[in-house]
Amino acid sequence: MTPFSKRIIAPLFLFVALAFANTVHAQTDRLYRNDGEAVIGKVKDITKNEIVMTVGGREQSFPSSDVRRLLFQGDPAELTRGRELVMDGQYDQAFDELKQLDMGKLPREFMKADAQFYLVLSQGEMSLAGQGDLNKSTADAIEFAKNNSDSWHFYPAMRLLGDLAKALGNYEKAAQFYGYLRNSPSRSLQIESVYQGGVVKVAEGDLEGAESDLSKVAGLKPNSPEEKRLQTLAKAAIAVVNAKKGQGDDAIKMVNDLIKNLNPTDTQTAATIYNAQGESYAALGDDEGALLAYLHTQLMYSMHAAEHAEALKKLAELWTKVGKPDRAAQARGELQQRYPGLSG
């Protein structure tokens, strides 16, 4: 190689290397879709409905409802660990990690909103499991939603607020919060809005209104596993409506059909169905059948706080009715120990 060639090639090589390095450095945000696909690029914009990234020099848009998580360049360790713990449902540990963050020092607004949401979500889920203050969790979630009304976490925040309002017995507010899901472009969130509205009406005692809403979900043709799950939950809720209307036989037949076709990996839906079976048997005056159903939830699905707590409450009542106060005391003791905020 001649000296002239070296003078030409060396600067050219340096230019290419620097350009490559800058490209790699710019593409350090990571978006993970619900199907597991990872996209590496730079987050350019976020709204409640979509996330825009620059990927390989070109902009790409991703519906927010299709995104499982975002990782940002420069995420502090507490946020990285907290986010992963939330994904695993370890809300108490996630809260411990995230509360160590100094939100004001986070370098990007996107990152700050992410950290604030996961902190609010962790606190809210702990309260729903009887391990926190429902009113404080509600106030903090409302504050997040007000300050981040165009966050990609907006609709999950509305779902959380609906859950909190329902747990507090504020059914009017619960219906309002769940109603926001209907504004999403996501079909599954729109369906969830109708389903949750029906569940709220069951809690209010509006059985006719509940059946109308739930039947819309139960009768749909699902286009995704999530829509199939919502359809199954709607059918379980309709069984509860039938039981409350005195149609216990219809309710039992419906839940038994659901049990035959359970998705073994969806344990939370299974717990909901067994609780619906318990309520259906109770409506028929079959206390032993109801006991067996709720015991199934207690023994098999204790990882799901709301469903497990409901089963324990019912078991305490049923054990008393069948003349076994020691078993009733055990159920009440477990309820008070595991879910102190739900045992009242």
Side-chain angles (χ1 to χ4, degrees):
M1 182 179 296
T2 67
F4 177 77
S5 298
K6 289 181 180 179
R7 286 197 301 270
I8 295 296
I9 293 174
L12 180 61
F13 176 79
L14 180 60
F15 173 80
V16 172
L18 287 173
F20 177 76
N22 287 336
T23 300
V24 172
H25 179 72
Q27 294 184 339
T28 52
D29 295 334
R30 287 175 169 78
L31 178 150
Y32 291 86
R33 300 176 58 169
N34 290 328
D35 60 10
E37 180 185 349
V39 181
I40 300 175
K42 191 73 173 179
V43 174
K44 181 180 179 181
D45 191 28
I46 292 177
T47 71
K48 64 167 67 75
N49 293 327
E50 69 175 1
I51 297 166
V52 180
M53 293 185 73
T54 302
V55 182
R58 301 176 64 181
E59 287 187 8
Q60 293 186 30
S61 297
F62 304 90
S64 298
S65 57
D66 290 348
V67 178
R68 177 167 171 76
R69 60 179 173 161
L70 277 174
L71 276 63
F72 298 101
Q73 175 188 343
D75 276 344
E78 295 87 352
L79 176 54
T80 299
R81 289 193 295 265
R83 188 189 287 119
E84 291 300 318
L85 288 164
V86 167
M87 296 296 106
D88 290 338
Q90 303 296 320
Y91 299 111
D92 54 345
Q93 296 178 47
F95 183 77
D96 289 341
E97 286 286 347
L98 294 164
K99 70 182 180 182
Q100 300 177 50
L101 288 168
D102 184 342
M103 299 293 179
K105 292 184 177 179
L106 296 178
R108 298 168 69 182
E109 289 301 315
F110 296 152
M111 188 187 298
K112 188 181 300 184
D114 222 43
Q116 289 172 341
F117 171 72
Y118 288 122
L119 183 64
V120 163
L121 178 62
S122 299
Q123 179 179 250
E125 291 292 348
M126 289 168 61
S127 296
L128 289 167
Q131 302 293 332
D133 185 333
L134 288 167
N135 287 298
K136 183 181 187 315
S137 295
T138 299
D140 289 348
I142 289 174
E143 185 69 14
F144 170 82
K146 284 181 177 178
N147 294 333
N148 300 275
S149 59
D150 213 20
S151 164
W152 75 285
H153 295 300
F154 177 77
Y155 293 118
M158 291 299 103
R159 179 193 292 121
L160 174 65
L161 280 165
D163 292 345
L164 290 166
K166 185 169 62 178
L168 286 165
N170 192 338
Y171 301 125
E172 182 179 353
K173 281 292 185 183
Q176 178 183 337
F177 289 129
Y178 288 136
Y180 279 102
L181 302 183
R182 204 171 301 191
N183 298 328
S184 168
S186 164
R187 177 178 139 106
S188 65
L189 284 178
Q190 293 169 10
I191 293 169
E192 182 177 354
S193 179
V194 178
Y195 163 71
Q196 294 288 8
V199 170
V200 169
K201 288 177 182 176
V202 174
E204 289 179 308
D206 179 7
L207 300 183
E208 297 300 326
E211 187 170 21
S212 175
D213 287 348
L214 294 167
S215 294
K216 293 174 185 174
V217 180
L220 61 80
K221 184 176 181 180
N223 293 335
S224 68
E226 175 60 15
E227 292 180 14
K228 176 64 177 176
R229 184 184 73 86
L230 289 167
Q231 182 185 56
T232 300
L233 288 170
K235 290 178 179 178
I238 290 172
V240 171
V241 169
N242 287 339
K244 288 180 177 291
K245 290 169 66 175
Q247 301 167 5
D249 290 333
D250 291 340
I252 291 294
K253 182 180 184 305
M254 183 173 287
V255 291
N256 286 347
D257 287 343
L258 293 175
I259 288 171
K260 289 177 185 177
N261 297 289
L262 280 178
N263 177 352
T265 64
D266 188 355
T267 54
Q268 188 167 21
T269 297
T272 300
I273 292 170
Y274 274 104
N275 282 354
Q277 186 188 49
E279 189 154 1
S280 301
Y281 276 122
L284 284 171
D286 185 347
D287 293 336
E288 291 187 2
L291 276 168
L292 289 173
Y294 287 121
L295 277 170
H296 205 102
T297 300
Q298 180 195 16
L299 298 175
M300 299 294 294
Y301 305 118
S302 61
M303 71 288 287
H304 301 297
E307 293 77 13
H308 187 222
E310 179 186 351
L312 289 171
K313 287 180 182 179
K314 298 293 187 180
L315 285 169
E317 298 170 4
L318 288 163
W319 284 127
T320 300
K321 287 183 69 175
V322 299
K324 294 190 176 181
D326 55 332
R327 297 296 298 272
Q330 288 176 9
R332 282 192 295 271
E334 185 176 354
L335 179 65
Q336 292 165 1
Q337 181 180 8
R338 294 191 60 165
Y339 314 110
L342 303 178
S343 57

